[in-house]
Amino acid sequence: MSQTIVNLALPVVTEKINTILQTYPWYSHQQAFISPDLRQKLTAYVLSRMPGLYVSMDNSSACSLESPVNCYSQEQHREIDQLIHQGIEHLLSHALQQNYQTQSGRTETLFTPSSWFG
């Protein structure tokens, strides 16, 4: 039988992100992360800050991995939750900052003489 290496971190983080965003107290946060790009950035943010957890399994059992959540300790679950909350705040503040810079950049160009004459 051949063995397959399975990354358990990705499905756990994805499931936890979905759960946390559903219960997050601010509705606007839930709406912001409907975007697949922003959700992917959040997943990458969390995964890049935690160690991976890999197991070697038979090919026949790799698809039947039922509960990778049980492979993490309670402390690791708390750390993942904390990373998700940090990632949400980081990505939203970064998006708001970019939005503000874009808006203030447009305002400044309205008052520069070069924009008055085309």
Side-chain angles (χ1 to χ4, degrees):
M1 279 195 210
S2 74
Q3 295 284 311
T4 300
I5 296 175
V6 179
N7 180 356
L8 298 178
L10 181 59
V12 170
V13 168
T14 302
E15 181 180 329
K16 290 181 92 43
I17 286 173
N18 292 336
T19 302
I20 287 174
L21 286 176
Q22 288 174 357
T23 60
Y24 221 72
W26 297 291
Y27 182 73
S28 62
H29 286 55
Q30 294 171 357
Q31 290 298 315
F33 285 96
I34 286 176
S35 163
D37 291 339
L38 198 55
R39 193 174 282 249
Q40 187 173 14
K41 285 181 182 180
L42 177 59
T43 303
Y45 180 93
V46 175
L47 289 174
S48 68
R49 287 162 175 78
M50 61 178 279
L53 180 61
Y54 296 89
V55 293
S56 179
M57 305 178 72
D58 294 339
N59 280 340
S60 60
S61 63
C63 294
S64 66
L65 186 60
E66 291 181 16
S67 187
V69 174
N70 296 330
C71 297
Y72 287 93
S73 69
Q74 289 298 328
E75 179 63 28
Q76 289 170 319
H77 280 284
R78 283 191 292 276
E79 290 174 9
I80 294 169
D81 290 346
Q82 183 180 10
L83 286 170
I84 292 170
H85 290 291
Q86 287 174 357
I88 290 170
E89 296 303 319
H90 172 77
L91 292 171
L92 287 179
S93 68
H94 189 304
L96 287 173
Q97 183 180 19
Q98 283 184 333
N99 189 21
Y100 175 75
Q101 288 175 348
T102 302
Q103 288 178 354
S104 63
R106 282 189 221 142
T107 305
E108 290 173 9
T109 58
L110 292 175
F111 298 113
T112 58
S114 64
S115 69
W116 295 347
F117 302 108

